[in-house]
Amino acid sequence: MSESLDEIVANFELLDEWDDRYRYLIELGRTLAPLPDEAHNDANKVRGCASQVWLETHVEGGPGEATRLTFRGDSDAHIVRGLVALAIAIHSGHTAREILATDAFAIYERLGLAAHLTPQRSNGVRAMMERIKSDARAALA
């Protein structure tokens, strides 16, 4: 993915119409590097999402405080793939402690996504964020 979280937030703020924001979210999903077929497995599947979502976690420099996590992901739904891209932009490349301290929901709210996603998609975002935080907790252990 080539866009940083700051760039994504700035681009969202430039878009006034929700149709434009949804299109941008779909474009974000298209920027994700392809997830290899073998990574579309049960261990990487995120439970609690209505759509199919996979998150692959790589832990580097651990265990302990120096542990950094990077993520790759995919979904079978275009908008959800964009939500995966946003989650990756928020968390990937950060230490486990930074991930645990980050309030990703506040970022989703700031972008207005919390108010414009269906309840099912909101639950899926929560499940994805909990999975990321769970992986960060495991990396610290």
Side-chain angles (χ1 to χ4, degrees):
M1 203 166 111
S2 60
E3 291 187 67
S4 72
L5 179 59
D6 290 338
E7 291 171 317
I8 293 169
V9 169
N11 288 335
F12 260 94
E13 289 172 350
L14 291 173
L15 302 171
D16 294 326
E17 300 296 322
W18 271 100
D19 286 346
D20 294 334
R21 288 180 177 210
Y22 281 130
R23 277 192 285 280
Y24 178 60
L25 197 58
I26 290 168
E27 285 303 314
L28 279 178
R30 290 184 178 136
T31 68
L32 286 176
L35 195 61
D37 287 339
E38 61 271 9
H40 289 95
N41 60 46
D42 203 49
N44 290 335
K45 190 169 183 178
V46 177
R47 307 284 183 254
C49 295
S51 301
Q52 301 287 319
V53 176
W54 298 270
L55 276 177
E56 184 179 61
T57 305
H58 296 275
V59 179
E60 303 162 358
E65 297 297 320
T67 304
R68 285 195 180 278
L69 287 81
T70 56
F71 301 94
R72 293 191 315 169
D74 195 10
S75 176
D76 63 347
H78 295 297
I79 288 177
V80 177
R81 197 163 198 263
L83 294 169
V84 170
L86 181 56
I88 290 171
I90 293 168
H91 296 293
S92 195
H94 293 280
T95 67
R97 286 260 181 248
E98 290 169 332
I99 290 168
L100 292 171
T102 299
D103 183 357
F105 297 114
I107 296 168
Y108 278 76
E109 285 179 1
R110 177 178 172 193
L111 298 176
L113 291 170
H116 286 88
L117 294 177
T118 65
Q120 279 186 319
R121 285 208 174 110
S122 292
N123 288 338
V125 167
R126 281 184 202 45
M128 192 170 26
M129 293 305 160
E130 181 48 42
R131 163 68 184 277
I132 288 169
K133 291 204 183 261
S134 176
D135 289 352
R137 284 189 292 274
L140 281 175

